[in-house]
Amino acid sequence: MNAFQILPGVGPKSAQRICFNLLQKNKEGALKLAEILKQACENIGECKRCRTLTENELCRICSSGKRNAEQLCVVETPADLMQIEQSTDYSGTYFVLHGKLSPLDGLGPNELGFPKLVDILSNEPIKEVILATSSTLEGQTTSQYIAQMCAKAEIKATGLAHGVPLGGELEYVDASTIAHAFGSRETL
Amino acid sequence: MNAFQILPGVGPKSAQRICFNLLQKNKEGALKLAEILKQACENIGECKRCRTLTENELCRICSSGKRNAEQLCVVETPADLMQIEQSTDYSGTYFVLHGKLSPLDGLGPNELGFPKLVDILSNEPIKEVILATSSTLEGQTTSQYIAQMCAKAEIKATGLAHGVPLGGELEYVDASTIAHAFGSRETL
């Protein structure tokens, strides 16, 4: 029961329910879960180039010859990478920071893989870096930092558009987003 | 108890709690509420020009001489108007639709006050119409309809920027918004 409480969103009660359920009704599934979990921990590491999670040296995207080598999208987490893959038709490659600049948490340029990013920027034929970090304070600081690196390397840096989310009622949008969306309104 | 259930979010249980609380502890407040509610219902109507709620013939904004007469912001509800007033430095005037085009609910051009809007567009020195409707399907249909009216009157129509909300983690943004924000990315 204690072991299960490391899962996000699982407290003592849920852990107890999970344990009884597994032991009484699904020992087979539990054994399989244990085995897969062990395998995953042993085999999954970071892609040598883009730092996303993968079982191989290079991830599926970095090792594919079909991606556009002139675009690089910088994201905070492998989950963000997956979401962009699933919802857009982006065909370039990625770079995963595994976090955002946050000196108080011990996350500096080295932890976020900036040396490797500099390597990529100087050795690959990249023409555009798309900064898809969160639009939180730390996310924007991180993206500005990388934008400066791009400026030095004379590479164009772009950021996601900000504004009212699609399908949203104006009433539920926060004041700062409305102010921004109002300020950067577009001619129809 | 039944009467209180017309309030949004108040069901039988809450209504019961409200009633006991008012009658046992705060009869004075209840009487004041009753009186103010009656006054409000009798005195508050729609502004003759912009259709927002007001106690006078013209609302505070329409009767102020200090607003920019060249900008008109079209919103769905008086609540949207208040939010834009509070969160932006917009200094033009407004027009309240009280809904969005939705033929199935009986909301057509007449219910949304389009004849009055046409009047305003042809008689006032307006140079820009800002369409701040929701980014839902009906909201966008409504805004396109009005944009066409503006095109006929040779007035510039603009819409709020769409994209990732400020302060948002990418992980919690829906796929279509990400796709849009990615597609209309901006050079940093």
Side-chain angles (χ1 to χ4, degrees), chain B residues 129-179:
Chain B
V129 172
I130 300 160
L131 296 162
T133 52
S134 299
S135 56
T136 54
L137 188 63
E138 287 107 338
Q140 290 307 298
T141 313
T142 312
S143 106
Q144 275 167 22
Y145 194 105
I146 301 176
Q148 283 170 11
M149 285 165 47
C150 293
K152 264 188 209 161
E154 295 188 343
I155 294 171
K156 181 170 134 188
T158 56
L160 299 191
H162 288 111
V164 178
L166 299 188
E169 301 273 350
L170 221 58
E171 205 178 333
Y172 305 110
V173 177
D174 62 294
S176 55
T177 299
I178 292 222

mmCIF file of all heavy atoms in Angstrom, chain B residues 129-179:
data_model
loop_
_atom_site.group_PDB
_atom_site.id
_atom_site.type_symbol
_atom_site.label_atom_id
_atom_site.label_comp_id
_atom_site.label_asym_id
_atom_site.label_seq_id
_atom_site.Cartn_x
_atom_site.Cartn_y
_atom_site.Cartn_z
ATOM 1 N N VAL B 129 -14.428 47.978 -35.770
ATOM 2 C CA VAL B 129 -15.348 47.187 -34.957
ATOM 3 C C VAL B 129 -14.570 45.994 -34.416
ATOM 4 O O VAL B 129 -14.017 45.202 -35.177
ATOM 5 C CB VAL B 129 -16.559 46.704 -35.781
ATOM 6 C CG1 VAL B 129 -17.396 45.727 -34.976
ATOM 7 C CG2 VAL B 129 -17.401 47.897 -36.214
ATOM 8 N N ILE B 130 -14.503 45.885 -33.075
ATOM 9 C CA ILE B 130 -13.767 44.784 -32.450
ATOM 10 C C ILE B 130 -14.760 43.704 -32.050
ATOM 11 O O ILE B 130 -15.626 43.931 -31.198
ATOM 12 C CB ILE B 130 -12.991 45.285 -31.216
ATOM 13 C CG1 ILE B 130 -12.013 46.368 -31.634
ATOM 14 C CG2 ILE B 130 -12.271 44.136 -30.527
ATOM 15 C CD1 ILE B 130 -11.549 47.243 -30.499
ATOM 16 N N LEU B 131 -14.661 42.537 -32.680
ATOM 17 C CA LEU B 131 -15.627 41.472 -32.423
ATOM 18 C C LEU B 131 -15.133 40.584 -31.299
ATOM 19 O O LEU B 131 -14.279 39.715 -31.506
ATOM 20 C CB LEU B 131 -15.855 40.684 -33.706
ATOM 21 C CG LEU B 131 -16.492 41.574 -34.782
ATOM 22 C CD1 LEU B 131 -16.336 40.966 -36.162
ATOM 23 C CD2 LEU B 131 -17.953 41.799 -34.455
ATOM 24 N N ALA B 132 -15.646 40.817 -30.092
ATOM 25 C CA ALA B 132 -15.174 40.064 -28.923
ATOM 26 C C ALA B 132 -16.207 39.018 -28.520
ATOM 27 O O ALA B 132 -16.550 38.897 -27.359
ATOM 28 C CB ALA B 132 -14.865 41.019 -27.778
ATOM 29 N N THR B 133 -16.694 38.248 -29.496
ATOM 30 C CA THR B 133 -17.631 37.164 -29.181
ATOM 31 C C THR B 133 -16.844 35.931 -28.750
ATOM 32 O O THR B 133 -15.639 35.865 -28.929
ATOM 33 C CB THR B 133 -18.482 36.820 -30.408
ATOM 34 O OG1 THR B 133 -17.601 36.598 -31.510
ATOM 35 C CG2 THR B 133 -19.411 37.956 -30.764
ATOM 36 N N SER B 134 -17.529 34.956 -28.157
ATOM 37 C CA SER B 134 -16.882 33.714 -27.740
ATOM 38 C C SER B 134 -16.243 33.038 -28.943
ATOM 39 O O SER B 134 -16.676 33.252 -30.074
ATOM 40 C CB SER B 134 -17.910 32.733 -27.175
ATOM 41 O OG SER B 134 -18.545 33.263 -26.065
ATOM 42 N N SER B 135 -15.236 32.186 -28.691
ATOM 43 C CA SER B 135 -14.670 31.473 -29.826
ATOM 44 C C SER B 135 -15.323 30.110 -29.989
ATOM 45 O O SER B 135 -14.715 29.167 -30.449
ATOM 46 C CB SER B 135 -13.156 31.376 -29.703
ATOM 47 O OG SER B 135 -12.811 30.770 -28.499
ATOM 48 N N THR B 136 -16.596 30.009 -29.608
ATOM 49 C CA THR B 136 -17.377 28.800 -29.905
ATOM 50 C C THR B 136 -17.898 28.903 -31.327
ATOM 51 O O THR B 136 -17.782 29.938 -31.976
ATOM 52 C CB THR B 136 -18.586 28.699 -28.960
ATOM 53 O OG1 THR B 136 -19.319 29.924 -29.067
ATOM 54 C CG2 THR B 136 -18.145 28.540 -27.526
ATOM 55 N N LEU B 137 -18.503 27.827 -31.815
ATOM 56 C CA LEU B 137 -19.012 27.808 -33.188
ATOM 57 C C LEU B 137 -20.021 28.932 -33.417
ATOM 58 O O LEU B 137 -19.895 29.728 -34.353
ATOM 59 C CB LEU B 137 -19.666 26.449 -33.475
ATOM 60 C CG LEU B 137 -20.056 26.225 -34.930
ATOM 61 C CD1 LEU B 137 -18.819 26.235 -35.814
ATOM 62 C CD2 LEU B 137 -20.803 24.912 -35.086
ATOM 63 N N GLU B 138 -21.014 29.041 -32.527
ATOM 64 C CA GLU B 138 -22.035 30.085 -32.705
ATOM 65 C C GLU B 138 -21.425 31.472 -32.594
ATOM 66 O O GLU B 138 -21.792 32.379 -33.337
ATOM 67 C CB GLU B 138 -23.156 29.969 -31.653
ATOM 68 C CG GLU B 138 -24.093 28.816 -31.867
ATOM 69 C CD GLU B 138 -23.838 27.737 -30.848
ATOM 70 O OE1 GLU B 138 -22.701 27.713 -30.292
ATOM 71 O OE2 GLU B 138 -24.739 26.925 -30.595
ATOM 72 N N GLY B 139 -20.503 31.643 -31.639
ATOM 73 C CA GLY B 139 -19.859 32.941 -31.452
ATOM 74 C C GLY B 139 -19.127 33.368 -32.716
ATOM 75 O O GLY B 139 -19.204 34.520 -33.137
ATOM 76 N N GLN B 140 -18.425 32.412 -33.333
ATOM 77 C CA GLN B 140 -17.657 32.735 -34.529
ATOM 78 C C GLN B 140 -18.572 33.004 -35.728
ATOM 79 O O GLN B 140 -18.288 33.866 -36.553
ATOM 80 C CB GLN B 140 -16.664 31.615 -34.847
ATOM 81 C CG GLN B 140 -15.525 31.529 -33.839
ATOM 82 C CD GLN B 140 -14.810 32.851 -33.653
ATOM 83 O OE1 GLN B 140 -14.232 33.400 -34.578
ATOM 84 N NE2 GLN B 140 -14.865 33.409 -32.440
ATOM 85 N N THR B 141 -19.684 32.249 -35.810
ATOM 86 C CA THR B 141 -20.658 32.508 -36.880
ATOM 87 C C THR B 141 -21.182 33.932 -36.746
ATOM 88 O O THR B 141 -21.258 34.684 -37.720
ATOM 89 C CB THR B 141 -21.835 31.521 -36.765
ATOM 90 O OG1 THR B 141 -21.312 30.208 -36.586
ATOM 91 C CG2 THR B 141 -22.692 31.554 -38.017
ATOM 92 N N THR B 142 -21.550 34.288 -35.505
ATOM 93 C CA THR B 142 -22.057 35.632 -35.246
ATOM 94 C C THR B 142 -21.040 36.680 -35.667
ATOM 95 O O THR B 142 -21.382 37.663 -36.329
ATOM 96 C CB THR B 142 -22.353 35.795 -33.739
ATOM 97 O OG1 THR B 142 -23.105 34.666 -33.291
ATOM 98 C CG2 THR B 142 -23.142 37.056 -33.474
ATOM 99 N N SER B 143 -19.769 36.440 -35.296
ATOM 100 C CA SER B 143 -18.768 37.459 -35.576
ATOM 101 C C SER B 143 -18.521 37.565 -37.084
ATOM 102 O O SER B 143 -18.310 38.657 -37.611
ATOM 103 C CB SER B 143 -17.496 37.177 -34.777
ATOM 104 O OG SER B 143 -16.459 36.692 -35.565
ATOM 105 N N GLN B 144 -18.598 36.425 -37.810
ATOM 106 C CA GLN B 144 -18.425 36.497 -39.266
ATOM 107 C C GLN B 144 -19.556 37.283 -39.910
ATOM 108 O O GLN B 144 -19.343 38.064 -40.841
ATOM 109 C CB GLN B 144 -18.362 35.091 -39.863
ATOM 110 C CG GLN B 144 -16.952 34.514 -39.810
ATOM 111 C CD GLN B 144 -16.936 33.030 -40.092
ATOM 112 O OE1 GLN B 144 -17.864 32.505 -40.710
ATOM 113 N NE2 GLN B 144 -15.903 32.352 -39.652
ATOM 114 N N TYR B 145 -20.779 37.062 -39.406
ATOM 115 C CA TYR B 145 -21.954 37.764 -39.915
ATOM 116 C C TYR B 145 -21.759 39.282 -39.772
ATOM 117 O O TYR B 145 -21.964 40.050 -40.709
ATOM 118 C CB TYR B 145 -23.173 37.299 -39.127
ATOM 119 C CG TYR B 145 -24.513 37.660 -39.712
ATOM 120 C CD1 TYR B 145 -25.296 36.698 -40.344
ATOM 121 C CD2 TYR B 145 -25.015 38.949 -39.617
ATOM 122 C CE1 TYR B 145 -26.534 37.011 -40.872
ATOM 123 C CE2 TYR B 145 -26.257 39.276 -40.147
ATOM 124 C CZ TYR B 145 -27.012 38.307 -40.764
ATOM 125 O OH TYR B 145 -28.236 38.621 -41.279
ATOM 126 N N ILE B 146 -21.308 39.690 -38.570
ATOM 127 C CA ILE B 146 -21.115 41.124 -38.324
ATOM 128 C C ILE B 146 -19.942 41.656 -39.151
ATOM 129 O O ILE B 146 -19.978 42.780 -39.649
ATOM 130 C CB ILE B 146 -20.892 41.392 -36.820
ATOM 131 C CG1 ILE B 146 -22.108 40.893 -36.031
ATOM 132 C CG2 ILE B 146 -20.679 42.874 -36.549
ATOM 133 C CD1 ILE B 146 -21.969 41.024 -34.543
ATOM 134 N N ALA B 147 -18.894 40.799 -39.320
ATOM 135 C CA ALA B 147 -17.743 41.233 -40.126
ATOM 136 C C ALA B 147 -18.185 41.547 -41.555
ATOM 137 O O ALA B 147 -17.689 42.494 -42.180
ATOM 138 C CB ALA B 147 -16.655 40.163 -40.112
ATOM 139 N N GLN B 148 -19.159 40.753 -42.065
ATOM 140 C CA GLN B 148 -19.671 41.026 -43.410
ATOM 141 C C GLN B 148 -20.429 42.349 -43.455
ATOM 142 O O GLN B 148 -20.295 43.117 -44.409
ATOM 143 C CB GLN B 148 -20.583 39.880 -43.862
ATOM 144 C CG GLN B 148 -19.799 38.651 -44.300
ATOM 145 C CD GLN B 148 -20.695 37.442 -44.502
ATOM 146 O OE1 GLN B 148 -21.922 37.561 -44.509
ATOM 147 N NE2 GLN B 148 -20.093 36.271 -44.651
ATOM 148 N N MET B 149 -21.221 42.605 -42.385
ATOM 149 C CA MET B 149 -21.908 43.896 -42.313
ATOM 150 C C MET B 149 -20.896 45.042 -42.339
ATOM 151 O O MET B 149 -21.103 46.071 -42.991
ATOM 152 C CB MET B 149 -22.731 43.989 -41.023
ATOM 153 C CG MET B 149 -24.009 43.175 -41.041
ATOM 154 S SD MET B 149 -24.729 42.940 -39.371
ATOM 155 C CE MET B 149 -24.680 44.584 -38.691
ATOM 156 N N CYS B 150 -19.779 44.865 -41.610
ATOM 157 C CA CYS B 150 -18.744 45.899 -41.561
ATOM 158 C C CYS B 150 -18.112 46.079 -42.940
ATOM 159 O O CYS B 150 -17.847 47.211 -43.367
ATOM 160 C CB CYS B 150 -17.652 45.525 -40.560
ATOM 161 S SG CYS B 150 -18.225 45.513 -38.867
ATOM 162 N N ALA B 151 -17.852 44.961 -43.623
ATOM 163 C CA ALA B 151 -17.232 45.036 -44.947
ATOM 164 C C ALA B 151 -18.109 45.858 -45.881
ATOM 165 O O ALA B 151 -17.612 46.704 -46.634
ATOM 166 C CB ALA B 151 -17.018 43.629 -45.493
ATOM 167 N N LYS B 152 -19.431 45.621 -45.808
ATOM 168 C CA LYS B 152 -20.357 46.394 -46.651
ATOM 169 C C LYS B 152 -20.256 47.879 -46.330
ATOM 170 O O LYS B 152 -20.304 48.722 -47.214
ATOM 171 C CB LYS B 152 -21.798 45.932 -46.390
ATOM 172 C CG LYS B 152 -22.274 44.905 -47.399
ATOM 173 C CD LYS B 152 -23.759 44.642 -47.207
ATOM 174 C CE LYS B 152 -24.087 43.218 -47.634
ATOM 175 N NZ LYS B 152 -25.359 42.761 -47.081
ATOM 176 N N ALA B 153 -20.152 48.199 -45.017
ATOM 177 C CA ALA B 153 -20.096 49.601 -44.603
ATOM 178 C C ALA B 153 -18.677 50.157 -44.709
ATOM 179 O O ALA B 153 -18.414 51.283 -44.293
ATOM 180 C CB ALA B 153 -20.611 49.740 -43.178
ATOM 181 N N GLU B 154 -17.749 49.321 -45.240
ATOM 182 C CA GLU B 154 -16.338 49.719 -45.383
ATOM 183 C C GLU B 154 -15.718 50.146 -44.058
ATOM 184 O O GLU B 154 -15.045 51.172 -43.960
ATOM 185 C CB GLU B 154 -16.198 50.821 -46.435
ATOM 186 C CG GLU B 154 -16.593 50.302 -47.814
ATOM 187 C CD GLU B 154 -16.303 51.286 -48.934
ATOM 188 O OE1 GLU B 154 -16.105 52.463 -48.617
ATOM 189 O OE2 GLU B 154 -16.302 50.858 -50.088
ATOM 190 N N ILE B 155 -15.986 49.337 -43.012
ATOM 191 C CA ILE B 155 -15.393 49.579 -41.700
ATOM 192 C C ILE B 155 -14.497 48.381 -41.376
ATOM 193 O O ILE B 155 -14.864 47.245 -41.657
ATOM 194 C CB ILE B 155 -16.492 49.720 -40.623
ATOM 195 C CG1 ILE B 155 -17.313 50.989 -40.887
ATOM 196 C CG2 ILE B 155 -15.889 49.756 -39.230
ATOM 197 C CD1 ILE B 155 -18.544 51.100 -40.014
ATOM 198 N N LYS B 156 -13.342 48.639 -40.782
ATOM 199 C CA LYS B 156 -12.409 47.563 -40.447
ATOM 200 C C LYS B 156 -12.968 46.727 -39.298
ATOM 201 O O LYS B 156 -13.428 47.267 -38.293
ATOM 202 C CB LYS B 156 -11.077 48.185 -40.034
ATOM 203 C CG LYS B 156 -9.995 47.201 -39.666
ATOM 204 C CD LYS B 156 -8.660 47.932 -39.525
ATOM 205 C CE LYS B 156 -7.944 47.501 -38.258
ATOM 206 N NZ LYS B 156 -6.761 48.305 -37.973
ATOM 207 N N ALA B 157 -12.951 45.398 -39.453
ATOM 208 C CA ALA B 157 -13.391 44.513 -38.368
ATOM 209 C C ALA B 157 -12.207 43.734 -37.840
ATOM 210 O O ALA B 157 -11.423 43.196 -38.611
ATOM 211 C CB ALA B 157 -14.459 43.561 -38.881
ATOM 212 N N THR B 158 -12.050 43.686 -36.500
ATOM 213 C CA THR B 158 -10.956 42.908 -35.923
ATOM 214 C C THR B 158 -11.515 41.908 -34.918
ATOM 215 O O THR B 158 -12.629 42.072 -34.420
ATOM 216 C CB THR B 158 -9.936 43.816 -35.195
ATOM 217 O OG1 THR B 158 -10.645 44.576 -34.221
ATOM 218 C CG2 THR B 158 -9.244 44.756 -36.144
ATOM 219 N N GLY B 159 -10.758 40.851 -34.645
ATOM 220 C CA GLY B 159 -11.189 39.851 -33.674
ATOM 221 C C GLY B 159 -10.096 39.619 -32.654
ATOM 222 O O GLY B 159 -8.934 39.913 -32.909
ATOM 223 N N LEU B 160 -10.453 39.093 -31.475
ATOM 224 C CA LEU B 160 -9.462 38.819 -30.434
ATOM 225 C C LEU B 160 -8.454 37.790 -30.930
ATOM 226 O O LEU B 160 -8.791 36.917 -31.722
ATOM 227 C CB LEU B 160 -10.159 38.272 -29.179
ATOM 228 C CG LEU B 160 -11.178 39.176 -28.510
ATOM 229 C CD1 LEU B 160 -11.568 38.595 -27.164
ATOM 230 C CD2 LEU B 160 -10.604 40.572 -28.318
ATOM 231 N N ALA B 161 -7.225 37.899 -30.438
ATOM 232 C CA ALA B 161 -6.212 36.904 -30.781
ATOM 233 C C ALA B 161 -6.549 35.570 -30.122
ATOM 234 O O ALA B 161 -7.064 35.527 -29.007
ATOM 235 C CB ALA B 161 -4.844 37.380 -30.311
ATOM 236 N N HIS B 162 -6.288 34.483 -30.828
ATOM 237 C CA HIS B 162 -6.499 33.150 -30.255
ATOM 238 C C HIS B 162 -5.165 32.483 -29.992
ATOM 239 O O HIS B 162 -4.200 32.737 -30.672
ATOM 240 C CB HIS B 162 -7.315 32.294 -31.214
ATOM 241 C CG HIS B 162 -8.736 32.715 -31.286
ATOM 242 N ND1 HIS B 162 -9.274 33.299 -32.390
ATOM 243 C CD2 HIS B 162 -9.714 32.672 -30.367
ATOM 244 C CE1 HIS B 162 -10.540 33.599 -32.156
ATOM 245 N NE2 HIS B 162 -10.834 33.230 -30.933
ATOM 246 N N GLY B 163 -5.131 31.596 -29.014
ATOM 247 C CA GLY B 163 -3.897 30.877 -28.728
ATOM 248 C C GLY B 163 -3.889 30.321 -27.325
ATOM 249 O O GLY B 163 -4.931 30.185 -26.692
ATOM 250 N N VAL B 164 -2.682 30.022 -26.845
ATOM 251 C CA VAL B 164 -2.501 29.473 -25.506
ATOM 252 C C VAL B 164 -2.786 30.582 -24.484
ATOM 253 O O VAL B 164 -2.282 31.680 -24.632
ATOM 254 C CB VAL B 164 -1.056 28.976 -25.352
ATOM 255 C CG1 VAL B 164 -0.810 28.444 -23.968
ATOM 256 C CG2 VAL B 164 -0.747 27.932 -26.404
ATOM 257 N N PRO B 165 -3.618 30.327 -23.463
ATOM 258 C CA PRO B 165 -3.873 31.368 -22.463
ATOM 259 C C PRO B 165 -2.599 31.714 -21.695
ATOM 260 O O PRO B 165 -1.719 30.863 -21.549
ATOM 261 C CB PRO B 165 -4.892 30.735 -21.514
ATOM 262 C CG PRO B 165 -5.188 29.388 -22.017
ATOM 263 C CD PRO B 165 -4.314 29.075 -23.182
ATOM 264 N N LEU B 166 -2.499 32.940 -21.211
ATOM 265 C CA LEU B 166 -1.313 33.329 -20.444
ATOM 266 C C LEU B 166 -1.268 32.552 -19.133
ATOM 267 O O LEU B 166 -2.298 32.284 -18.526
ATOM 268 C CB LEU B 166 -1.345 34.827 -20.144
ATOM 269 C CG LEU B 166 -1.342 35.748 -21.362
ATOM 270 C CD1 LEU B 166 -1.177 37.185 -20.920
ATOM 271 C CD2 LEU B 166 -0.226 35.362 -22.300
ATOM 272 N N GLY B 167 -0.071 32.211 -18.681
ATOM 273 C CA GLY B 167 0.068 31.501 -17.414
ATOM 274 C C GLY B 167 -0.301 30.046 -17.501
ATOM 275 O O GLY B 167 -0.397 29.367 -16.484
ATOM 276 N N GLY B 168 -0.548 29.540 -18.701
ATOM 277 C CA GLY B 168 -1.011 28.157 -18.821
ATOM 278 C C GLY B 168 0.102 27.171 -19.088
ATOM 279 O O GLY B 168 1.022 27.457 -19.828
ATOM 280 N N GLU B 169 0.011 25.986 -18.452
ATOM 281 C CA GLU B 169 0.912 24.896 -18.782
ATOM 282 C C GLU B 169 0.413 24.285 -20.091
ATOM 283 O O GLU B 169 -0.792 24.104 -20.272
ATOM 284 C CB GLU B 169 0.866 23.808 -17.701
ATOM 285 C CG GLU B 169 1.235 24.285 -16.319
ATOM 286 C CD GLU B 169 2.722 24.220 -16.080
ATOM 287 O OE1 GLU B 169 3.428 23.633 -16.920
ATOM 288 O OE2 GLU B 169 3.185 24.767 -15.071
ATOM 289 N N LEU B 170 1.313 23.946 -20.977
ATOM 290 C CA LEU B 170 0.933 23.392 -22.271
ATOM 291 C C LEU B 170 0.118 22.118 -22.118
ATOM 292 O O LEU B 170 -0.789 21.823 -22.900
ATOM 293 C CB LEU B 170 2.196 23.080 -23.069
ATOM 294 C CG LEU B 170 2.121 23.429 -24.538
ATOM 295 C CD1 LEU B 170 1.810 24.883 -24.715
ATOM 296 C CD2 LEU B 170 3.406 23.072 -25.223
ATOM 297 N N GLU B 171 0.433 21.359 -21.070
ATOM 298 C CA GLU B 171 -0.184 20.050 -20.857
ATOM 299 C C GLU B 171 -1.705 20.147 -20.737
ATOM 300 O O GLU B 171 -2.420 19.212 -21.069
ATOM 301 C CB GLU B 171 0.408 19.467 -19.574
ATOM 302 C CG GLU B 171 0.369 17.966 -19.512
ATOM 303 C CD GLU B 171 1.020 17.473 -18.225
ATOM 304 O OE1 GLU B 171 1.905 18.160 -17.673
ATOM 305 O OE2 GLU B 171 0.615 16.385 -17.778
ATOM 306 N N TYR B 172 -2.211 21.288 -20.221
ATOM 307 C CA TYR B 172 -3.644 21.378 -19.976
ATOM 308 C C TYR B 172 -4.389 22.126 -21.075
ATOM 309 O O TYR B 172 -5.555 22.469 -20.912
ATOM 310 C CB TYR B 172 -3.893 22.051 -18.618
ATOM 311 C CG TYR B 172 -3.180 21.344 -17.501
ATOM 312 C CD1 TYR B 172 -2.100 21.920 -16.857
ATOM 313 C CD2 TYR B 172 -3.568 20.058 -17.129
ATOM 314 C CE1 TYR B 172 -1.418 21.245 -15.857
ATOM 315 C CE2 TYR B 172 -2.906 19.376 -16.138
ATOM 316 C CZ TYR B 172 -1.827 19.974 -15.503
ATOM 317 O OH TYR B 172 -1.158 19.292 -14.531
ATOM 318 N N VAL B 173 -3.713 22.428 -22.174
ATOM 319 C CA VAL B 173 -4.355 23.146 -23.275
ATOM 320 C C VAL B 173 -4.888 22.119 -24.273
ATOM 321 O O VAL B 173 -4.236 21.119 -24.547
ATOM 322 C CB VAL B 173 -3.347 24.103 -23.941
ATOM 323 C CG1 VAL B 173 -3.976 24.801 -25.118
ATOM 324 C CG2 VAL B 173 -2.836 25.111 -22.927
ATOM 325 N N ASP B 174 -6.100 22.354 -24.805
ATOM 326 C CA ASP B 174 -6.696 21.368 -25.704
ATOM 327 C C ASP B 174 -5.993 21.342 -27.060
ATOM 328 O O ASP B 174 -5.329 22.294 -27.460
ATOM 329 C CB ASP B 174 -8.176 21.689 -25.921
ATOM 330 C CG ASP B 174 -8.369 23.019 -26.581
ATOM 331 O OD1 ASP B 174 -8.048 24.055 -25.955
ATOM 332 O OD2 ASP B 174 -8.812 23.055 -27.730
ATOM 333 N N ALA B 175 -6.173 20.218 -27.781
ATOM 334 C CA ALA B 175 -5.436 19.962 -29.014
ATOM 335 C C ALA B 175 -5.684 21.018 -30.081
ATOM 336 O O ALA B 175 -4.741 21.458 -30.746
ATOM 337 C CB ALA B 175 -5.806 18.577 -29.546
ATOM 338 N N SER B 176 -6.937 21.479 -30.235
ATOM 339 C CA SER B 176 -7.194 22.410 -31.338
ATOM 340 C C SER B 176 -6.556 23.765 -31.061
ATOM 341 O O SER B 176 -6.068 24.421 -31.981
ATOM 342 C CB SER B 176 -8.695 22.554 -31.595
ATOM 343 O OG SER B 176 -9.354 22.926 -30.422
ATOM 344 N N THR B 177 -6.521 24.172 -29.795
ATOM 345 C CA THR B 177 -5.860 25.432 -29.466
ATOM 346 C C THR B 177 -4.361 25.337 -29.714
ATOM 347 O O THR B 177 -3.745 26.254 -30.260
ATOM 348 C CB THR B 177 -6.120 25.818 -27.993
ATOM 349 O OG1 THR B 177 -7.519 25.978 -27.806
ATOM 350 C CG2 THR B 177 -5.430 27.117 -27.624
ATOM 351 N N ILE B 178 -3.767 24.186 -29.338
ATOM 352 C CA ILE B 178 -2.333 23.994 -29.590
ATOM 353 C C ILE B 178 -2.056 24.056 -31.084
ATOM 354 O O ILE B 178 -1.116 24.713 -31.534
ATOM 355 C CB ILE B 178 -1.862 22.633 -29.035
ATOM 356 C CG1 ILE B 178 -1.932 22.665 -27.515
ATOM 357 C CG2 ILE B 178 -0.455 22.310 -29.536
ATOM 358 C CD1 ILE B 178 -0.771 22.052 -26.828
ATOM 359 N N ALA B 179 -2.895 23.363 -31.865
ATOM 360 C CA ALA B 179 -2.692 23.344 -33.311
ATOM 361 C C ALA B 179 -2.750 24.772 -33.848
ATOM 362 O O ALA B 179 -1.920 25.181 -34.664
ATOM 363 C CB ALA B 179 -3.743 22.474 -33.989
#
